[in-house]
Amino acid sequence: MTDEEASGAPGRGRVRRLRRLAVLGVAVLVLASLPWLWTTFTARGHVHTEADAPSADVVIVLGTAVAADRQRPGERLAGRLETAAALVTSGRATVVLVSGDGGGTSGDEPAVMTSYLTERGVDPRRVVADPFGLDTYDSCARARQVYGVERALIVTQSYHLSRAVTLCRHLGLDADGVVARCDGCGAALLAEKSVRDYFASGKAAWDAARGRAPAVHSPADPAVQNALRG
């Protein structure tokens, strides 16, 4: 072997190792992204703006943190509720199912949501509260299993919507998503929440794959059907 060949061999070995590492890295990234790809592509064609939202008897508003005074919704939750109220006012939905954590660390989400909607002109007889929508999966599962909802619009912010729609559809709801208003959502917040939702899609896929039951079991509740009749 010439001196030139001997000096080139270690370099070629390093290149091969780097290539193998690059291929391995891409494979790991693809595998890690499968849950996010599942939620993203399953929701395609089922995500709408407020202006082009389809109609459904029920609109489900997913809960999130309330304001520091524990009496008012936080900015993101307010945006979701304002969007839902607009859907009702425009005749695209009749009943609002507010689903959140009744014992949340920031306060009673469904109670705050109900109050905010009624202040904005939604008939309180048309609002049903589920205090055990402890996460997105539970909200979707309970809407179908406890409240008997078969078709619904799901309202939440854009970064969360594909995951919510996919889970609800997986759990038997004919669901379409409507992007909620988000006046206080700057680019940094949206980027942060999008990254969080990327990782949350892994839990969503795992919950769906194993058919997890909601954290709180409840008997069938006719409240939504009663509200529709009323």
Side-chain angles (χ1 to χ4, degrees):
M1 180 183 292
T2 66
D3 290 344
E4 185 176 296
E5 290 171 331
S7 63
R12 288 195 295 273
R14 283 194 295 271
V15 169
R16 285 195 296 269
R17 287 194 295 273
L18 287 172
R19 285 175 178 168
R20 286 196 293 268
L21 286 172
V23 170
L24 179 61
V26 170
V28 169
L29 179 61
V30 169
L31 286 173
S33 298
L34 285 177
W36 177 80
L37 291 169
W38 171 62
T39 61
T40 300
F41 284 99
T42 300
R44 289 187 69 176
H46 298 288
V47 172
H48 310 273
T49 66
E50 182 183 319
D52 68 5
S55 297
D57 285 341
V58 179
V59 55
I60 301 172
V61 183
L62 300 176
T64 190
V66 304
D69 64 3
R70 304 174 72 89
Q71 304 299 316
R72 310 290 295 172
E75 284 186 334
R76 286 176 293 129
L77 185 54
R80 299 178 190 186
L81 295 166
E82 288 162 6
T83 301
L87 292 171
V88 172
T89 300
S90 67
R92 297 186 185 186
T94 303
V95 169
V96 185
L97 175 60
V98 293
S99 184
D101 189 348
T105 55
S106 67
D108 186 338
E109 295 172 10
V112 170
M113 294 160 81
T114 299
S115 176
Y116 195 79
L117 284 170
T118 57
E119 288 173 3
R120 272 146 189 77
V122 178
D123 186 340
R125 295 172 299 177
R126 302 292 187 182
V127 182
V128 176
D130 178 8
F132 300 117
L134 305 184
D135 61 14
T136 305
Y137 183 96
D138 281 19
S139 290
C140 293
R142 288 176 58 83
R144 183 70 188 91
Q145 298 167 16
V146 176
Y147 295 95
V149 179
E150 297 180 355
R151 162 86 180 133
L153 302 178
I154 312 297
V155 173
T156 186
Q157 271 76 32
S158 58
Y159 54 80
H160 179 207
L161 197 54
S162 290
R163 177 164 60 93
V165 168
T166 295
L167 281 174
C168 282
R169 295 187 70 83
H170 176 81
L171 289 162
L173 274 168
D174 178 11
D176 279 285
V178 181
V179 179
R181 303 174 188 181
C182 200
D183 295 338
C185 293
L189 176 65
L190 290 174
E192 174 195 341
K193 295 297 182 182
S194 295
V195 170
R196 178 187 178 279
D197 211 75
Y198 171 85
F199 289 104
S201 64
K203 179 180 181 298
W206 174 239
D207 284 342
R210 64 193 177 102
R212 174 175 73 81
V216 178
H217 173 75
S218 301
D221 188 330
V224 169
Q225 303 309 318
N226 290 343
L228 286 170
R229 285 193 294 268

